[in-house]
Amino acid sequence: SAVIGITDAPQLASDAELATTSTQWAIYGDDANNFLGNDGSWDSSWGTTFTTGDIIGVALDMDNNRLYFAKANTWMNSADPTDGTNAIDITTNTGLMFPAVGAYGNSLHWEVNFGNPPYANSSDAADADGYGAFEYAPPSGYYALCTKNLAEYG
């Protein structure tokens, strides 16, 4: 089963679970269910199930302390990153966040794309500044995680 999210810890131990502190958020999918986790609690009535081969998008808004997850370009929990609708509130963050992925079990394989994918996309959609090669275009106001965007937007 797959886990994807954000954490303020740059590296978690191999036996650590993501979303066990108030400064970590993640979604956990096990083919039939999807859970939102934070501070050791998991909400089983949140989001959309996902499985092998699904493309999960993450939009992080550190200016407004909001987090969003999408499956196949549809934002989970009827969220809309462009207007802030149904965001996950991350106000307990420490101001320094890292992307994180994990698995329950040993057979999971992750392919992560921050804008320079290690695999072929069918669309190679870029952000509004023309950076990145994504399967789906980032929402308006969100940018690929790269040094050029970090220099401009922080």
Side-chain angles (χ1 to χ4, degrees):
S1 297
V3 181
I4 184 170
I6 60 173
T7 178
D8 65 341
Q11 180 178 345
L12 298 174
S14 63
D15 62 346
E17 288 188 38
L18 184 59
T20 57
T21 72
S22 65
T23 56
Q24 300 174 347
W25 294 264
I27 55 173
Y28 163 73
D30 69 358
D31 298 337
N33 299 291
N34 187 47
F35 303 92
L36 173 66
N38 171 250
D39 206 10
S41 297
W42 291 91
D43 181 350
S44 62
S45 62
W46 189 91
T48 305
T49 62
F50 59 96
T51 190
T52 303
D54 285 337
I55 296 173
I56 305 300
V58 180
L60 177 62
D61 178 351
M62 291 297 290
D63 292 332
N64 297 298
N65 295 308
R66 296 175 180 153
L67 176 65
Y68 307 87
F69 292 101
K71 173 185 165 186
N73 207 33
T74 299
W75 295 100
M76 295 182 187
N77 204 34
S78 302
D80 185 349
T82 60
D83 68 12
T85 304
N86 292 331
I88 300 165
D89 180 355
I90 62 167
T91 54
T92 58
N93 79 76
T94 61
L96 183 63
M97 300 307 298
F98 298 88
V101 296
Y104 288 103
N106 296 321
S107 62
L108 193 65
H109 170 83
W110 279 99
E111 292 182 354
V112 181
N113 178 5
F114 296 103
N116 188 16
Y119 48 82
N121 286 325
S122 64
S123 67
D124 282 340
D127 67 19
D129 285 348
Y131 300 121
F134 299 99
E135 188 64 34
Y136 304 107
S140 178
Y142 290 80
Y143 300 92
L145 185 60
C146 67
T147 56
K148 290 180 181 179
N149 281 336
L150 287 172
E152 185 169 346
Y153 302 107

